[in-house]
Amino acid sequence: QVQLAESGGGSVQAGASLRLSCAASGRTSNSYAMGWFRQAPGKEREFVAAINWFGGSTNYADSVKGRFTISRDNAKKTLYLHMNSLKLEDSAVYYCAASFYGNYGTPSKADDYAYWGQGTQVTVSS
């Protein structure tokens, strides 16, 4: 089992930046892709970004390309999401996820992820 715990959410004004963190614990290894998803009220959970097991390849939703950066520190077992130029539509609960063991890609489908955190709220206001 892998446990994931997000932190770093909060309330900010449009245009501001935030950095989300996701700490992994339990039966962790580097053989997982990691990703961020988000869910706004009344909407389905959507893919935000993914990173492969060693951090050499990333994948982003079109809505966040050029504004968000995903990274990971395997030594610290921590995943990050740097969010710049935040928009009102970025408001959501953000979840980190770890893929099934041995996934060396950058999956964008929720079904490719086996472990999920509890989420952290990001609220962007004007």
Side-chain angles (χ1 to χ4, degrees), residues 81-106:
L81 185 67
H82 299 258
M83 305 185 293
N84 296 322
S85 302
L86 282 162
K87 303 177 180 180
L88 298 180
E89 52 265 39
D90 293 320
S91 296
V93 177
Y94 282 72
Y95 300 90
C96 74
S99 72
F100 289 95
Y101 181 82
N103 189 323
Y104 297 106
T106 54

Side-chain angles (χ1 to χ4, degrees), residues 3 21 73-74 77 84-85 93 111:
Q3 290 81 43
S21 299
D73 185 331
N74 287 339
K77 297 182 180 180
N84 296 322
S85 302
V93 177
D111 288 346

